[in-house]
Amino acid sequence: MAAQTSAKSLLHLSSSSSSSSCPCFGTSKQSNLIKFRKTQVGFEPRGLTQHTKPIKVETLSLSYKSGKRLVVEERKKRWEVKCTAEGIERGVLMGRRGREEAAAAAKVLVPERFKVVALMACVMCLCNADRVVMSVAIVPLATKFGWSNSFLGIVQSSFLWGYIFSSVVGGALIDKYGGKRVLATGVALWSLATLLTPWAANHSTTSLLAIRAFFGLAEGVALPAMGIILSRWFPNHERASAVGISMAGFHLGNVAGLLLTPIMLSSIGITGPFILFASLGLLWLSTWTQVTNDPQESQLISKSELRLIQDGKTDSPVSNGKFPPIQLLLSKLPTWAIILANITNNWGYFVLLSWMPVYFKTVFNVNLKQAAWFSAVPWGTMALSGYVAGATSDYLIKAGVNLTLVRKIMQSIGFIGPGVSLLCLNFVNTPVHASVFITIALSLSSFSQAGFLLNIQDIAPQYAGLLHGISNSFGTLAAIVSTIGTGYFVQWLGSFQAFLTVTAGLYFMSTVFWNLFATGERVF
């Protein structure tokens, strides 16, 4: 009886507190109890549980033996268990959905086109680093085998012998099959050639020249593939910045090659730098499999990013599978403006790329490691200025400046600046001053990336790969002449200055031709 009385008192107290805290309850105990049950079972479970503590089923079972009341409490128990299970399940589902949404948000934070340009910058870095290794390693090789300065020019240019043939064919293959597979094949082959270079040098000079020509044959597809892939993955108002980032990687390859090669040569030997960069090329290949030729083929790109890319394009180049007419491409003056610009750019670029370490060693008598540092600084600043040029070009296009005018402004800066800087080298007396003017020359020359290099896609989007290959072949021929010619100038005249003056004159002449005949409108 005492236990029963205390239980009733407890129930009465709970009912009273419920009625005081919730105005919907009546004053009688029976109505309070009934309304309490209804509220718990279905009417207001959330609101009530916030104000009242749950009544334990065991306590009521001990206090009341009535069958009806036991049934009510059992139903309430089952309802509480069911709600708890549903709540747990709902929480699990919401957690899974939350994780999926978080993962989707994380993907949006890094757009797919940014991943593409990052991989492109990395492979362009390797492309140029593999070239520069030989420019540094040739100094100890020349000492070991007794090569003359004129033969050094032949060895340096042997890379270009294969490069000149692969540009046209590689560009046409890229137009037909896309840049992904062609570029991957090129990277695999030039990494193999890099690995075999030390063996070829020890075997014979003929083997060395052959393997360097094969190396150039494989690398000839890199720049045309870059232009095609980026033009498909980026809207027009972002294309110059994308090319600037990729070419920044290209120029940083010079820095990596010039700084790491002397260290590897002194610590490991001739084979060290060649093994390192060949291995990095094979590593890059393992990450390239996720990239597609076109953003529409990608399963990773978001709908919003795809829409942004498509809305930012003014043309839709579609290949018909036929080999494009070369005679038609060569019949237009804007094509020849691009070709002459490529000739001039490659002439000056390869003179500085191939001969800069030798220049500092011959003219200023600095050792190999110091020459590498003096040579690396200009390429590092060129990487930064290339991005600045691209961003500036995109800004002008967004501001509504005529595309032809933008291309002419960028190209004029890219040629007049280096021409003046090379002339100033005739008056320097220290390696520091020489490095300053070479830095200015290379930094300003990167503005031509937003000039003739992008103009290829402007005038012939359907045949951009082939046109890039044709202009690159002419440019490669000029690079061969300039690289070999520098060696003979140094051997016969004992000076770099005369040849640099000729190069400056070529820069000025090409600027005039470009501003007369270049256009930003579609020609083909």
Side-chain angles (χ1 to χ4, degrees):
M1 288 295 293
Q4 187 174 2
T5 304
S6 62
K8 288 181 179 181
S9 301
L10 178 61
L11 181 60
H12 176 72
L13 180 61
S14 175
S15 301
S16 301
S17 62
S18 300
S19 62
S20 62
S21 61
C22 183
C24 65
F25 287 115
T27 55
S28 80
K29 296 180 181 179
Q30 186 176 2
S31 62
N32 284 348
L33 183 61
I34 293 173
K35 288 187 177 183
F36 174 78
R37 291 173 187 164
K38 288 182 178 180
T39 302
Q40 286 281 14
V41 172
F43 291 152
E44 293 180 358
R46 294 183 180 177
L48 189 59
T49 52
Q50 291 176 357
H51 300 287
T52 61
K53 297 180 179 180
I55 301 174
K56 294 183 178 181
V57 178
E58 292 82 2
T59 304
L60 294 176
S61 299
L62 290 173
S63 303
Y64 296 96
K65 305 299 182 181
S66 170
K68 292 182 179 180
R69 199 170 296 275
L70 285 173
V71 170
V72 171
E73 297 301 328
E74 184 66 22
R75 287 177 180 175
K76 187 176 74 170
K77 181 178 179 181
R78 288 200 302 269
W79 180 84
E80 289 177 348
V81 171
K82 180 181 178 182
C83 289
T84 302
E86 289 178 351
I88 294 173
E89 182 180 4
R90 190 181 298 112
V92 171
L93 292 175
M94 288 299 292
R96 185 186 306 158
R97 187 180 305 150
R99 288 192 296 270
E100 292 175 354
E101 291 177 355
K107 290 181 179 179
V108 174
L109 290 177
V110 183
E112 201 62 26
R113 66 188 188 281
F114 291 176
K115 300 177 185 176
V116 173
V117 75
L119 285 173
M120 190 61 66
C122 289
V123 76
M124 298 308 292
C125 179
L126 286 172
C127 175
N128 226 16
D130 288 347
R131 300 182 192 182
V132 175
V133 170
M134 193 61 185
S135 298
V136 180
I138 199 171
V139 176
L141 285 173
T143 303
K144 179 179 179 180
F145 297 110
W147 295 337
S148 63
N149 281 331
S150 58
F151 187 73
L152 285 182
I154 295 175
V155 173
Q156 295 280 49
S157 67
S158 59
F159 147 78
L160 299 169
W161 302 349
Y163 192 81
I164 193 173
F165 292 108
S166 64
S167 296
V168 177
V169 178
L173 291 174
I174 290 166
D175 283 335
K176 186 172 183 178
Y177 298 108
K180 177 183 177 179
R181 284 184 290 176
V182 177
L183 181 59
T185 303
V187 173
L189 293 178
W190 88 52
S191 297
L192 177 62
T194 301
L195 186 65
L196 295 176
T197 298
W199 169 84
N202 288 324
H203 187 267
S204 65
T205 54
T206 303
S207 299
L208 176 61
L209 296 177
I211 202 68
R212 294 299 293 174
F214 178 75
F215 171 75
L217 188 70
E219 279 210 344
V221 303
L223 285 175
M226 179 201 72
I228 293 296
I229 292 174
L230 294 183
S231 68
R232 294 180 180 178
W233 270 94
F234 282 84
N236 290 347
H237 61 275
E238 293 182 356
R239 198 151 46 93
S241 297
V243 171
I245 292 172
S246 299
M247 292 304 293
F250 187 78
H251 303 315
L252 287 176
N254 291 328
V255 179
L258 289 169
L259 294 183
L260 293 179
T261 302
I263 298 174
M264 301 291 287
L265 288 174
S266 59
S267 59
I268 299 177
I270 293 292
T271 60
F274 294 97
I275 293 175
L276 171 65
F277 289 109
S279 302
L280 291 176
L282 298 178
L283 178 64
W284 178 88
L285 280 173
S286 64
T287 65
W288 185 241
T289 55
Q290 297 180 354
V291 175
T292 58
N293 288 318
D294 194 280
Q296 297 182 22
E297 302 171 2
S298 176
Q299 298 180 352
L300 302 176
I301 192 172
S302 65
K303 293 181 179 179
S304 60
E305 184 182 5
L306 181 60
R307 186 164 53 250
L308 182 146
I309 295 172
Q310 292 175 336
D311 292 345
K313 292 182 179 296
T314 57
D315 51 63
S316 300
V318 178
S319 175
N320 54 16
K322 298 180 180 179
F323 198 79
I326 297 179
Q327 291 183 348
L328 176 63
L329 291 175
L330 296 179
S331 65
K332 306 293 184 180
L333 284 174
T335 299
W336 285 102
I338 291 174
I339 290 174
L340 183 58
N342 204 326
I343 288 173
T344 304
N345 181 74
N346 280 16
W347 180 289
Y349 186 88
F350 279 95
V351 165
L352 296 176
L353 175 66
S354 302
W355 287 97
M356 205 178 296
V358 181
Y359 168 77
F360 280 105
K361 186 176 186 303
T362 303
V363 176
F364 300 106
N365 196 28
V366 298
N367 61 44
L368 187 59
K369 288 187 178 180
Q370 288 176 324
W373 275 104
F374 281 119
S375 303
V377 172
W379 300 112
T381 57
M382 189 179 185
L384 178 61
S385 64
Y387 173 74
V388 172
T392 303
S393 177
D394 285 339
Y395 173 79
L396 292 175
I397 293 172
K398 290 178 184 178
V401 180
N402 180 266
L403 183 60
T404 299
L405 180 59
V406 172
R407 298 289 183 246
K408 289 183 177 181
I409 291 173
M410 296 294 111
Q411 191 63 48
S412 297
I413 296 173
F415 277 0
I416 294 177
V420 173
S421 300
L422 291 182
L423 289 178
C424 292
L425 284 176
N426 292 315
F427 308 100
V428 299
N429 298 316
T430 66
V432 174
H433 292 155
S435 181
V436 168
F437 283 111
I438 292 176
T439 299
I440 295 174
L442 289 174
S443 297
L444 294 178
S445 71
S446 64
F447 278 73
S448 63
Q449 297 167 188
F452 83 91
L453 195 59
L454 286 172
N455 192 236
I456 295 172
Q457 189 72 29
D458 295 334
I459 70 170
Q462 186 174 352
Y463 307 127
L466 178 63
L467 180 55
H468 197 143
I470 293 173
S471 65
N472 222 26
S473 294
F474 279 97
T476 303
L477 181 61
I480 293 173
V481 173
S482 67
T483 304
I484 296 176
T486 304
Y488 280 102
F489 263 78
V490 172
Q491 183 173 339
W492 294 342
L493 303 178
S495 172
F496 281 91
Q497 274 72 12
F499 198 77
L500 295 178
T501 301
V502 172
T503 302
L506 183 60
Y507 274 123
F508 298 143
M509 182 189 70
S510 297
T511 304
V512 174
F513 192 88
W514 175 266
N515 282 282
L516 287 175
F517 301 112
T519 179
E521 299 178 359
R522 182 168 180 172
V523 177
F524 303 99

